[in-house]
Every structure is written in structure tokens, then in C-alpha cells.
Amino acid sequence: MALSSTTSRGDQNYQVETLEELVEIKASADKVFKVLSNQHHRIPEAASDNIHEVVVHEGDWETSGSVKVWKYTIDGKIESFKEKVEIDEANKLVSLTAVDGHVLEQYKSYKITIQVTPTSDDTQEAAGLGKITVEYGKFNKNDAPPHKYLRFVVNTVKDVDAHLLKE
């Protein structure tokens, strides 16, 4: 699903568009959220075919505002993604805002938001649903949406889920 709105960055106005996808989570939603929010160092274990490493650049693994650098392969090409993380524990929401990397060569702005919602009141072990949102600003109105990056994030969440089921 694609949505759009207009925002300003510095002295430029540009349109921010959104892609969204839902992912069924079979493992504990709490455990999936923990890995996706503040245990990024575990993601290469789960998605080793695509994600090679995640390292802390500033801050730490657990604090909002920390900056991490990801090295990954997408469509056969090795890329990097430097992001600033914001974690909302109460709403099980994590946002990764691009501050540098290959994605910013293609888009003016890029932000991934993942919200994990348990499907029952037993939140400790309940499976759940992941809502993945990609917000991006195009350089040109004819630029393609970042469908490949959305697919990449969806597949990474599925890989983390499958990995946690094996533990």
C-alpha cells in the first residue's frame, strides 16, 4: 500500500511517500521485538545470507538515539545503511532513520518503522503481527518506490521470526 504526504527538510519541500506490509509472527512477539529493537547484533545470525554485520557507531545497542551501521547484500550488491534508532517499548515500535548509506543515494529521506503487536493478552509468549512501514522521499517524482528495500525488511523480519522459533 502506498500513501503520501508533504514534508520539508531544510529549505526544500518534497513529498514523503509510504509503503506498508504486514507480516505474521509465529514466535513470541516480545522476543521478536527485542531482537528488532535493541539486539541488532543478533540479526546476522538469523539472516546471514543477506545481513553480514551490524555494529554500533554511536551510543549502544539499547538506547534510542544510538547510531548503527549495517552491511548487507541486496539484489547481489553489497550496501551499507547507517541509521539512528528510536525505540518505543510501550507500543513495541522501532524506527530506523537513515543518516548515511546507499539508500540515501537513491532517496532524499528513508525511514523504516516496525511495530510488533501480540495477538493475545499473554504477551510473554503470544505470536503476533508485524507492521512494516517504509517512509521515503524521492529525488524526482518519476523515481521508483523502494519496493526492494521493503521486501528486504519483510524477509529479515521473517528470518528473525524463524530463527527464534528454533531456539
Side-chain angles (χ1 to χ4, degrees), residues 60-156:
D60 57 38
W61 292 110
E62 300 181 2
T63 306
S64 284
S66 293
V67 176
K68 297 173 193 79
V69 178
W70 300 63
K71 301 277 191 225
Y72 56 92
T73 300
I74 187 166
D75 291 345
K77 180 181 169 195
I78 295 175
E79 294 189 3
S80 64
F81 175 65
K82 185 186 232 181
E83 51 83 357
K84 183 176 182 180
V85 66
E86 295 298 327
I87 303 166
D88 179 348
E89 293 275 345
N91 293 305
K92 297 200 182 319
L93 186 104
V94 60
S95 296
L96 310 175
T97 301
V99 295
D100 196 11
H102 290 88
V103 73
L104 289 180
E105 294 171 4
Q106 300 170 62
Y107 301 97
K108 286 184 180 184
S109 64
Y110 181 83
K111 179 179 178 180
I112 302 165
T113 303
I114 304 169
Q115 184 170 27
V116 178
T117 307
T119 53
S120 79
D121 291 337
D122 178 16
T123 59
Q124 291 296 317
E125 294 303 319
L129 198 59
K131 179 181 177 185
I132 300 161
T133 306
V134 174
E135 296 176 42
Y136 59 98
K138 295 180 181 180
F139 284 111
N140 301 299
K141 67 179 181 176
N142 294 331
D143 289 344
H147 290 290
K148 74 177 184 178
Y149 290 106
L150 176 63
R151 278 192 317 275
F152 184 84
V153 176
V154 166
N155 289 335
T156 300

Side-chain angles (χ1 to χ4, degrees), residues 6-41:
T6 302
T7 192
S8 62
R9 182 179 184 190
D11 59 357
Q12 298 176 329
N13 281 336
Y14 63 93
Q15 191 165 2
V16 172
E17 297 182 50
T18 305
L19 299 174
E20 292 181 348
E21 190 158 333
L22 297 176
V23 176
E24 180 183 4
I25 294 173
K26 297 174 184 153
S28 160
D30 277 352
K31 290 178 183 175
V32 171
F33 175 72
K34 188 159 260 328
V35 170
L36 295 174
S37 63
N38 57 30
Q39 294 179 355
H40 293 156
H41 58 281

